[in-house]
Amino acid sequence: MQDSVGRPRWRLKPLQVEGFASDLRVPPAGLVLGRDATCDVVLVGELYPIVSARHCRLVTEGEGLVLEDLDSTNGTWVGGAAIRRRPITHGEVFQLGPAGPRFAVLSSRIGSPVPPGSGAGLERTAFARRDESRHGTLEEVRGELGLPAPAHPEVFAPRASNRWPLVGAAVLGVAAIALGSWLVREQSRAEALRLAAEEFARSLDQRLLASQGELERQRENWSIQRLDYERAQADWERSRAEVVAERDRLLQRLEQLELEGATAQDVAELEAHLDAARLQLALFDPVELERTRVREIDRVERAVVLIEAREVLVEPSSGRLLRVRATEPGSRASSFHLDDDGEVFSRESTGSGVCVSADGHILTTAHVVAGQSSLPAILMDGEQRLEARTELYIVFSGTGTRHAAQLLELRRTDREDLALLKIEPFVGMPHVDGVDVELPTPPRGTEVYALGFPLGKRVLQAGDTVIASAFRGIVSRSVDPYVQVDAAVHPGASGGPVIDAQGRIVGLVTAMQSADPRANSSQIGYMLPIERARSIWPPAR
């Protein structure tokens, strides 16, 4: 429905807000929301202490609606960000504070479905909301539908001689207006569907072009990798031939010494060289190479850890945590408090890392333990200040025991994304000895393995026991300071080690890149080479 000049009418849909069961109409003069009794929409302070006395205001400007924060303590939030003043459109949701009540904005001009849980029934006819004379009702209906006024309004005045014909004419007129309104709505709905279909087709075309471009880049990359593989194969065959020649030379020399009656010491030294050549030659055996690879992956995998980062809000003076509880049993409405009952209000994220010393030091990336979605400090009842705090826990692969962790070092710049954690060591704690931060970046084509916990605990696990995953790939290229690998990378794998076939840690998983921003994984991943960890490892004594 629109007003008499064709402007849309706006409504608010409370989303599980205690005390509000139906939509709220936004008048032309606007609405003020807050805890003060003078506000147009009053929220109960005991249920919503995060809301300020006069928190925010909605005002109409032309055909639009503008949301304005009234210098509230904890801010007005739209789309996960605090705003000062901005237009707000149909279907958007705003929130009073980062954990306060939420409202959906609805416009009578939009015919598309409203957000889930926001209700329906935006349009109501003039007949259901006015109790006035027939003459006044018809004029308002005409005005809301944008129809011109009748040339002779007096025809609607009731007369004793022709009352019933006039009533019949009025009924027919109302029916015609209702039919016209229905046709207009159906045409608007059809137009909206057509525009949505065109937009969807354009989106598909853009995604197809992006996929074709990515396919071409993959083909070029595969061609380069094939050439690198052929060169590596030639180097391998040449190295193997050199070792075989050295072994044969040593055998001939040993036979010669035996014939010449050489001393036992000379023979022993020659046999030691011969054993070394045989050991080096065994490394070219494909079966032995496979055994070495599996053995090294298993050794490092036991030292890989799942990192749990939990952000909470705490009162500094008392150490009490912000908690949330249902206002009534079975109710979806909730309240926030600092008592000891209820669930702790928190935001949780997971990542990966690797234990690199018998003292309990753990290498990971900075964004795993210090994400960009940190909770802001807020005020409860305008007096109690709550500050954000991050709690860190780790779980070793193959176990279900959580260990509290302490953050020792954090390096987060354009060229660094590193963190060093510490846990209390325990008997039998798995770890990787001898991490070499002087190890050079492996050349392109080197086979590597990324270890970690993709998607955290959301993937299949053995009960409470978490099990790390291993993804195989090769080094694709170097883009200083990062190294691109084609092993599959998922959210949650960040901070995990990347090892070569000899089990040496050559880097840490730090990012993924995809042509589709909605993708949950990518074959294009990036690692920070282990030499970048020199700034935090070994730790300063």
Side-chain angles (χ1 to χ4, degrees):
M1 179 178 292
Q2 302 172 3
D3 60 21
S4 58
V5 295
R7 291 192 296 263
R9 294 195 175 184
W10 297 91
R11 286 185 174 275
L12 294 185
K13 174 64 180 179
L15 302 180
Q16 289 92 42
V17 180
E18 186 73 11
F20 297 91
S22 60
D23 298 355
L24 303 171
R25 180 174 175 271
V26 181
L31 280 179
V32 175
L33 292 82
R35 293 192 301 164
D36 193 90
T38 61
C39 295
D40 301 303
V41 179
V42 180
L43 295 123
V44 181
E46 295 179 356
L47 295 178
Y48 304 107
I50 197 173
V51 177
S52 298
R54 292 176 62 85
H55 199 105
C56 66
R57 176 171 52 207
L58 285 162
V59 293
T60 57
E61 291 189 0
E63 295 189 355
L65 191 64
V66 175
L67 176 62
E68 179 181 8
D69 183 74
L70 299 179
D71 295 326
S72 63
T73 302
N74 298 308
T76 302
W77 296 66
V78 179
I83 61 101
R84 294 293 300 172
R85 190 176 192 274
R86 58 156 280 188
I88 189 164
T89 61
H90 173 81
E92 285 193 289
V93 175
F94 67 91
Q95 188 169 8
L96 309 188
R102 300 184 303 144
F103 297 85
V105 174
L106 307 176
S107 171
S108 62
R109 178 163 289 182
I110 305 299
S112 58
V114 297
S118 62
L122 293 181
E123 298 179 339
R124 295 189 297 174
T125 65
F127 316 114
R129 64 180 182 86
R130 287 184 175 85
D131 184 15
E132 301 173 359
S133 68
R134 183 185 303 110
H135 181 71
T137 301
L138 291 178
E139 286 184 347
E140 291 184 10
V141 171
R142 286 179 175 273
E144 292 190 1
L145 295 177
L147 300 176
H152 302 287
E154 64 275 6
V155 74
F156 295 102
R159 296 179 182 177
S161 60
N162 58 356
R163 177 179 179 182
W164 295 112
L166 287 178
V167 171
V171 171
L172 290 176
V174 170
I177 292 172
L179 179 60
S181 176
W182 179 81
L183 290 175
V184 169
R185 287 199 303 271
E186 289 300 313
Q187 290 175 353
S188 300
R189 186 176 292 109
E191 180 67 14
L193 290 175
R194 184 185 65 81
L195 294 176
E198 292 178 354
E199 180 63 26
F200 181 69
R202 284 193 295 269
S203 175
L204 286 179
D205 291 340
Q206 293 174 356
R207 293 171 61 182
L208 179 60
L209 290 175
S211 299
Q212 290 175 343
E214 181 64 23
L215 179 60
E216 291 299 324
R217 287 190 292 271
Q218 288 279 6
R219 287 175 177 172
E220 294 177 2
N221 192 29
W222 290 337
S223 298
I224 295 173
Q225 292 175 10
R226 180 177 58 82
L227 294 175
D228 290 341
Y229 174 79
E230 291 175 352
R231 285 193 291 267
Q233 180 72 13
D235 292 340
W236 180 85
E237 292 177 353
R238 182 170 58 254
S239 298
R240 185 178 185 280
E242 291 174 355
V243 174
V244 170
E246 177 66 12
R247 182 201 61 183
D248 293 343
R249 188 186 67 80
L250 291 173
L251 287 173
Q252 292 176 2
R253 179 59 180 162
L254 181 61
E255 292 176 357
Q256 183 179 357
L257 288 177
E258 291 175 348
L259 292 174
E260 294 176 355
T263 64
Q265 181 178 357
D266 292 337
V267 174
E269 291 179 354
L270 188 60
E271 287 180 341
H273 289 296
L274 184 58
D275 289 339
R278 287 169 177 164
L279 180 61
Q280 187 175 7
L281 185 60
L283 295 178
F284 291 93
D285 181 5
V287 175
E288 182 61 28
L289 285 174
E290 183 68 13
R291 290 174 179 171
T292 301
R293 179 182 66 84
V294 173
R295 182 171 59 250
E296 293 304 315
I297 290 177
D298 182 67
R299 177 180 66 88
V300 177
E301 184 264 339
R302 289 195 297 270
V304 175
V305 298
L306 172 70
I307 299 176
E308 300 175 345
R310 185 174 75 155
E311 291 179 296
V312 297
L313 290 170
V314 61
E315 185 183 29
S317 60
S318 65
R320 292 184 299 173
L321 298 177
L322 179 66
R323 296 175 180 268
V324 60
R325 65 173 172 232
T327 56
E328 296 179 2
S331 173
R332 299 183 64 181
S334 57
S335 62
F336 296 88
H337 58 89
L338 296 174
D339 300 333
D340 293 333
D341 61 327
E343 296 184 1
V344 175
F345 178 79
S346 64
R347 290 182 180 175
E348 297 182 355
S349 60
T350 60
S352 305
V354 58
C355 187
V356 292
S357 78
D359 295 331
H361 291 96
I362 295 170
L363 279 177
T364 185
T365 50
H367 74 267
V368 167
V369 298
Q372 295 180 355
S373 60
S374 298
L375 291 170
I378 67 172
L379 291 179
M380 293 284 288
D381 294 324
E383 298 177 357
Q384 297 169 308
R385 179 178 177 82
L386 305 183
E387 297 181 351
R389 185 179 71 189
T390 301
E391 298 176 344
L392 299 174
Y393 299 91
I394 67 100
V395 183
F396 280 90
S397 177
T399 73
T401 305
R402 300 169 80 235
H403 303 268
Q406 177 187 2
L407 178 62
L408 297 185
E409 296 284 348
L410 189 71
R411 297 286 188 275
R412 192 169 192 178
T413 66
D414 293 339
R415 299 177 61 82
E416 291 183 302
D417 183 18
L418 295 163
L420 182 64
L421 309 183
K422 176 75 165 60
I423 65 169
E424 285 295 323
F426 55 90
V427 177
M429 181 181 68
H431 63 279
V432 177
D433 278 324
V435 175
D436 186 4
V437 292
E438 302 298 331
L439 195 67
T441 301
R444 188 166 60 179
T446 302
E447 188 174 85
V448 293
Y449 304 87
L451 308 179
F453 292 88
L455 304 183
K457 291 184 177 181
R458 288 183 291 170
V459 298
L460 181 65
Q461 301 291 353
D464 293 333
T465 300
V466 298
I467 303 174
S469 301
F471 295 91
R472 182 178 186 176
I474 65 168
V475 173
S476 302
R477 58 175 182 154
S478 294
V479 184
D480 188 55
Y482 302 103
V483 175
Q484 179 183 328
V485 295
D486 71 345
V489 175
H490 306 69
S494 290
V498 180
I499 65 174
D500 61 12
Q502 286 75 49
R504 299 176 299 180
I505 298 178
V506 297
L508 299 175
V509 175
T510 187
M512 60 173 255
Q513 187 173 10
S514 175
D516 185 353
R518 294 170 296 181
N520 291 324
S521 65
S522 174
Q523 289 293 125
I524 299 180
Y526 296 94
M527 73 173 185
L528 276 175
I530 195 62
E531 62 183 359
R532 303 296 305 177
R534 284 179 294 193
S535 61
I536 62 173
W537 185 260
R541 300 293 183 184

